[in-house]
Amino acid sequence: AVLGYVVSVSQLESATRQLALYGASVPDLLPFRSAETYGKVFEEMPSAACALYLRTLWTWDLLFPISYGLGLYVLIRQDLGSWELVPLTAALADLCENLLATAILNGSQVVSTAYAMVSATKWILLSIAVLGVLASLMRVVVVGMRRLQTRTPPP
């Protein structure tokens, strides 16, 4: 999962730079925008940028949510129990975002609202998952410190 994450982040960063050369924004990286804003971003995307964006969506951005979803799941599943599905749900929302972006780029204008809602959901769930990882790490530190404090010194 870590290798997949590193490779996909690198590839997504490269694609983001290429899209910027076309003067295009990356909708995935614009959290909490309105449906109109997303519609405008997609509408103003040049055709060469659309092709690159679609290719990126269905290669590297397919691997990215799977790797971060599984990675965050593994990091929080033991400590947070019922919250373990949050990163997997965020990854699923990311994949739905890709489907909706593909529909928009293929001419469907009615899904901009759905795209905005799914994108916001993804970012909220990712934030919760990251907070869960931080809470889990803090728990490990606190438990470790308690163990050190309760240790009896050698004679």
Side-chain angles (χ1 to χ4, degrees), residues 68 88-98 100 118-119 121-123 125:
Y68 76 68
L88 298 177
T89 308
L92 182 62
D94 199 339
L95 296 173
C96 289
E97 185 181 51
N98 291 357
L100 293 169
V118 168
S119 181
T121 301
K122 173 189 79 171
W123 287 106
L125 291 171

Side-chain angles (χ1 to χ4, degrees), residues 20-50:
L21 292 175
Y22 291 116
S25 297
V26 180
D28 297 43
L29 302 178
L30 301 172
F32 307 111
R33 300 293 202 273
S34 68
E36 293 80 24
T37 300
Y38 285 123
K40 186 176 178 183
V41 167
F42 283 114
E43 186 178 297
E44 293 175 353
M45 193 178 286
S47 61
C50 287

Side-chain angles (χ1 to χ4, degrees), residues 13 16 31 36 39 46 51 54 60 86-87 91 95 101 112-113 116 132 140 142:
E13 184 180 328
T16 301
E36 293 80 24
L54 282 172
W60 299 110
V86 170
L95 296 173
S112 290
T113 301
V140 168
V142 168

